[in-house]
C-alpha cells in the first residue's frame, strides 16, 4: 500500500531534517520550524512549532494548562487520525501571546526522520 500525504518535506527543508508521525510516518514539521523543546504535553515532553503539515485542527476549547488558560484545538494526523498535540488559538496572559497560532506536538507521537 502506498501512503499519500498532503505535503512532503524532503525538498522543502534546507537541512533535510524533519519530524514525522510515529504511528504512520506522515511528515509533520521541518527542523527549521521548531521554536522550543521546553514544553510539557499530557504524555510528557513536547515541542513547539511555528508551522506543521499533514494535520487537521479540531474545534477550539478553553483549557487550563501549566501556563494558564488558553483556547486550544487538538491536532490530528491527517493520515492515521491520531491526536498529536494541539494548536494555541488564544492566550489570556500577555506573556503567553507568542504561542498564538503555534503548534504543540508531543514527543510520544513523533520521530526524527532523514538526516539526523
Amino acid at each position: 500500500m502506498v501512503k499519500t500525504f498532503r505535503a512532503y518535506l524532503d525538498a522543502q527543508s534546507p537541512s533535510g531534517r524533519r519530524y514525522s508521525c510515529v504511528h504512520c510516518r506522515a511528515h509533520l514539521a521541518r527542523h527549521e520550524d521548531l521554536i522550543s523543546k521546553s514544553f510539557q504535553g499530557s504524555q510528557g515532553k513536547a515541542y513547539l512549532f511555528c508551522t506543521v503539515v499533514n494535520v487537521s485542527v479540531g474545534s477550539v476549547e478553553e483549557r487550563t494548562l501549566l501556563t494558564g488558560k488558553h483556547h486550544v484545538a487538538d491536532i490530528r494526523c491527517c493520515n492515521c487520525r491520531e491526536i498529536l498535540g494541539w494548536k494555541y488559538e488564544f492566550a489570556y496572559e500577555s506573556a503567553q501571546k507568542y504561542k498564538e497560532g503555534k503548534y504543540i506536538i508531543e514527543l510520544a507521537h513523533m520521530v526524527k526522520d532523514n538526516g539526523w
Side-chain angles (χ1 to χ4, degrees):
M1 181 172 105
V2 176
K3 294 179 185 175
T4 304
F5 308 133
R6 292 182 182 174
Y8 288 88
L9 298 178
D10 289 334
Q12 298 176 20
S13 178
S15 69
R17 297 186 295 175
R18 65 175 179 250
Y19 298 90
S20 298
C21 176
V22 73
H23 309 287
C24 70
R25 298 288 197 228
H27 299 174
L28 297 174
R30 301 176 320 147
H31 183 67
E32 291 79 9
D33 295 324
L34 176 64
I35 296 171
S36 175
K37 296 180 179 181
S38 301
F39 279 77
Q40 187 70 27
S42 61
Q43 298 178 3
K45 287 188 71 167
Y47 289 179
L48 181 70
F49 292 93
C50 61
T51 304
V52 296
V53 296
N54 297 320
V55 300
S56 60
V57 180
S59 56
V60 177
E61 59 184 50
E62 183 178 271
R63 289 187 197 158
T64 301
L65 303 173
L66 293 173
T67 55
K69 283 188 179 183
H70 300 272
H71 287 187
V72 299
D74 286 338
I75 58 171
R76 291 181 177 270
C77 175
C78 284
N79 190 55
C80 68
R81 307 299 301 153
E82 287 287 331
I83 294 177
L84 305 172
W86 62 87
K87 179 181 181 184
Y88 286 102
E89 296 289 353
F90 176 78
Y92 286 97
E93 298 179 27
S94 59
Q96 302 299 314
K97 292 285 188 186
Y98 75 96
K99 297 177 185 175
E100 291 179 352
K102 309 292 190 300
Y103 302 85
I104 288 287
I105 300 179
E106 297 181 350
L107 264 61
H109 299 292
M110 70 177 173
V111 294
K112 294 177 180 177
D113 268 344
N114 201 31
W116 288 97

